């Protein structure tokens, strides 16, 4: 399979190059009549096939580094870094957020090869990165074949590529197999530096303490901080702890135990308290996805909605004391890392034919969910089946049920 893919990609790259030359010399009139989208589509396909070839070359170079063949190490490392630069250039034709994982990998490989020195740990890392590059190569190769077969059109991002108006090509472009956290641990400069914080000003430790005071009522002078140069201030006082981002001074996580008495709040009050606190923290107006009433507290899951799609991968969790209404726990880490605005949905189709016989549909909506380590655009369906609450996640393109959860 790998040999066939290599032959295909090299053939396609050659054909694309020939087409460009012919178009430049013998078909000037045809090019003059070509539409903007047709030109862009051709350019994007050329970029896709070139990126695919670069990934195969990167994989081969890293494979050589993993065995550290004597004096050739320096030359091989230079080769890998140059291939990474070429691959980086090929990604410019695609919407950045849709190729983020691949770009992160390319940047890591470039840094890794530029500073490479032979050693057992380095060889092991090179081998892991080589395998990952080959997996990306397979993914891009399959997409290239699909484009050649006429299954997809590579028009400008946001342009619908099928007559059925189901999805966008670039929703299929990004690659992830769920191993990024292990592979790229040293490549991410900001642990919580998600897009949500881009452009926000840097706050001082004193400002972070003041923000923690505003949200919890604990005097700023009482907050202590852990030493370090991380991307977040870790503050604590007694049993209370808060994580405040350096960029923007956003509350990332809060643990704030309070004394609990007799329950006085109803579910509506609880949801209001959770929403109000999220707004105080700068997260804006969020939609309630789930609530879980416990003995002394209630857990509320809030999610942002963008263009009709609920971003479940950016969920915020808050726990509310049922007697005082105080927030005892807050976690906005997923929001900060995953929030995005470049997602588009549409109307929710009729999915009744996909549900089990006798299932009672309570609610359904479009969502961005994490399925096996990848973000997937899904139709979410919450049902009652044989007296049990069941959640189905249905792929928007294939209409296949790709995840099922039974609520306890």
């Amino acid at each position: 399979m790998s040999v066939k893919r290599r032959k295909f990609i090299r053939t396609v790259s050659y054909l694309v190059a020939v087409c460009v030359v012919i178009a430049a010399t013998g078909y000037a009139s045809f090019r003059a009549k070509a539409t903007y989208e047709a030109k862009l589509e051709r350019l994007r396909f050329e970029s896709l096939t070139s990126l695919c070839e670069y990934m195969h070359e990167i994989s081969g170079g890293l494979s050589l580094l993993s065995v550290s063949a004597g004096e050739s190490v320096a030359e091989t490392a230079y080769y890998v870094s140059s291939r990474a630069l070429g691959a980086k250039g090929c990604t410019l034709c695609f919407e950045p957020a849709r190729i983020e994982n691949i770009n992160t990998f390319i940047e890591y490989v470039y840094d890794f090869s530029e500073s490479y020195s032979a050693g057992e740990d380095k060889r092991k890392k090179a081998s892991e990165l080589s395998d990952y590059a080959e997996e990306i190569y397979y993914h891009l190769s399959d997409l290239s074949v699909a484009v050649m077969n006429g299954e997809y059109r590579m028009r400008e991002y946001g342009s619908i590529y099928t007559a059925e108006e189901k999805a966008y090509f670039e929703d299929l472009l990004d690659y992830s197999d769920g191993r990024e956290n292990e592979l790229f641990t040293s490549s991410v400069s900001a642990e919580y530096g998600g897009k949500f914080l881009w452009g926000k000003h840097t706050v001082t430790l004193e400002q972070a303490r003041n923000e923690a005071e505003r949200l919890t009522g604990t005097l700023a002078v009482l907050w202590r901080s852990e030493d370090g140069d991380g991307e977040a201030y870790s503050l604590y006082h007694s049993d209370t702890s808060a994580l405040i981002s350096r960029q923007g001074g956003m509350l990332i996580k809060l643990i704030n135990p309070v004394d609990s008495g007799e329950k006085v709040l109803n579910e509506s009050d609880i949801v209001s308290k959770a929403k109000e606190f999220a707004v105080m923290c700068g997260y804006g107006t969020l939609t309630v996805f789930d609530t879980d009433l416990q003995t002394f507290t209630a857990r509320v899951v809030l999610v942002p909605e963008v263009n009709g799609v609920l971003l479940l991968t950016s969920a915020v969790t808050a726990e509310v004391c049922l007697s005082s209404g105080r927030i005892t726990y807050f976690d906005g880490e997923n929001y900060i890392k995953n929030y995005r605005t470049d997602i588009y949905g549409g109307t929710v189709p009729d999915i009744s034919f996909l549900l089990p016989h006798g299932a009672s549909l309570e609610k359904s909506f479009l969502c961005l969910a994490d399925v096996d380590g990848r973000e997937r655009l899904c139709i979410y369906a919450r049902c009652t089946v044989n007296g049990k609450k069941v959640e189905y996640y249905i792929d928007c393109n294939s209409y296949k049920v790709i995840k099922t959860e039974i609520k306890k």
Side-chain angles (χ1 to χ4, degrees), residues 136-399:
I136 298 177
Y137 166 78
Y138 290 150
H139 172 71
L140 297 178
S141 176
D142 289 341
L143 288 182
S144 301
V145 172
V147 173
M148 286 291 286
N149 289 339
E151 297 175 33
Y152 305 127
R153 299 292 300 277
M154 295 184 66
R155 299 184 179 227
E156 186 174 10
Y157 180 71
S159 296
I160 297 168
Y161 69 80
T162 64
E164 294 79 15
E165 301 187 359
K166 286 185 179 179
Y168 306 121
F169 169 80
E170 280 176 289
D171 284 330
L172 308 171
L173 182 60
D174 204 0
Y175 175 80
S176 169
D177 70 351
R179 289 188 293 145
E180 284 79 7
N181 289 340
E182 289 76 20
L183 279 173
F184 309 147
T185 51
S186 61
S187 68
V188 182
S189 61
E191 184 179 358
Y192 302 105
K195 293 184 178 180
F196 181 59
L197 299 180
W198 286 5
K200 293 184 179 291
H201 67 282
T202 302
V203 301
T204 64
L205 175 58
E206 187 60 30
Q207 289 173 320
R209 285 174 175 157
N210 290 335
E211 179 64 5
E213 176 182 343
R214 183 180 78 89
L215 298 174
T216 64
T218 300
L219 292 176
V221 294
L222 297 178
W223 289 103
R224 291 177 292 169
S225 61
E226 295 179 356
D227 294 331
D229 298 321
E231 295 301 317
Y233 295 108
S234 181
L235 308 173
Y236 54 95
H237 169 68
S238 187
D239 293 331
T240 301
S241 63
L243 204 60
I244 306 285
S245 68
R246 290 178 184 266
Q247 294 297 117
M250 297 290 298
L251 176 68
I252 298 170
K253 188 169 290 187
L254 172 70
I255 298 175
N256 186 29
V258 298
D259 292 333
S260 301
E262 184 178 350
K263 172 185 173 182
V264 296
L265 299 180
N266 57 36
E267 187 168 348
S268 177
D269 295 331
I270 293 163
V271 168
S272 295
K273 294 289 186 182
K275 283 186 169 183
E276 289 171 5
F277 190 79
V279 170
M280 281 181 61
C281 295
Y283 288 84
T285 303
L286 303 175
T287 300
V288 179
F289 174 68
D290 193 21
T291 57
D292 181 19
L293 295 176
Q294 301 171 12
T295 304
F296 300 109
T297 62
R299 179 175 174 270
V300 183
V301 178
L302 305 168
V303 296
E305 182 175 344
V306 176
N307 297 323
V309 181
L310 291 182
L311 308 187
L312 302 187
T313 53
S314 303
V316 170
T317 302
E319 289 187 5
V320 184
C321 176
L322 296 178
S323 58
S324 66
R326 295 272 301 275
I327 302 298
T328 62
Y329 176 82
F330 182 86
D331 187 352
E333 183 177 339
N334 286 332
Y335 189 109
I336 288 176
K337 290 196 297 185
N338 301 326
Y339 180 73
R340 55 196 289 182
T341 58
D342 62 330
I343 191 74
Y344 302 89
T347 57
V348 182
D350 179 16
I351 56 171
S352 57
F353 68 98
L354 297 171
L355 302 176
H357 179 70
S360 175
L361 179 63
E362 296 180 4
K363 66 167 65 174
S364 64
F365 49 76
L366 294 175
C367 71
L368 194 67
D370 185 315
V371 180
D372 296 329
R374 292 197 65 184
E375 288 186 336
R376 302 284 291 272
L377 185 61
C378 305
I379 305 164
Y380 170 89
R382 181 178 293 177
C383 309
T384 300
V385 182
N386 298 326
K388 295 182 178 180
K389 300 290 184 182
V390 183
E391 297 174 335
Y392 297 100
Y393 295 82
I394 302 165
D395 184 84
C396 279
N397 296 318
S398 66
Y399 280 9

Side-chain angles (χ1 to χ4, degrees), residues 26-164:
Y27 293 95
S29 60
F30 172 79
R31 286 170 60 85
K33 296 179 181 179
T35 64
Y36 165 76
E37 279 200 342
K39 291 179 181 178
L40 183 62
E41 190 169 12
R42 185 169 62 249
L43 177 63
R44 283 153 62 84
F45 182 63
E46 181 180 359
S47 295
L48 176 64
T49 55
S50 296
L51 178 61
C52 186
E53 183 68 17
Y54 273 126
M55 280 300 159
H56 179 64
E57 293 173 353
I58 286 173
S59 177
L62 288 168
S63 180
L64 289 176
L65 283 179
S66 69
V67 297
S68 298
E71 296 179 356
S72 67
V73 169
E75 182 179 335
T76 302
Y78 174 78
Y79 171 81
V80 172
S81 65
S82 66
R83 299 295 88 187
L85 282 177
K88 186 71 174 176
C90 291
T91 67
L92 297 178
C93 286
F94 304 106
E95 203 279 327
R98 279 294 188 265
I99 200 163
E100 185 174 4
N101 285 324
I102 295 176
N103 268 334
T104 301
F105 172 74
I106 292 170
E107 290 168 3
Y108 184 90
V109 166
Y110 180 80
D111 292 340
F112 176 82
S113 56
E114 282 287 283
S115 61
Y116 186 85
S117 58
E120 183 61 34
D121 291 341
K122 289 281 189 177
R123 288 196 294 269
K124 181 179 179 181
K125 176 63 71 173
S127 177
E128 293 174 347
L129 294 174
S130 175
D131 291 343
Y132 194 81
E134 192 74 357
E135 289 170 16
I136 298 177
Y137 166 78
Y138 290 150
H139 172 71
L140 297 178
S141 176
D142 289 341
L143 288 182
S144 301
V145 172
V147 173
M148 286 291 286
N149 289 339
E151 297 175 33
Y152 305 127
R153 299 292 300 277
M154 295 184 66
R155 299 184 179 227
E156 186 174 10
Y157 180 71
S159 296
I160 297 168
Y161 69 80
T162 64
E164 294 79 15

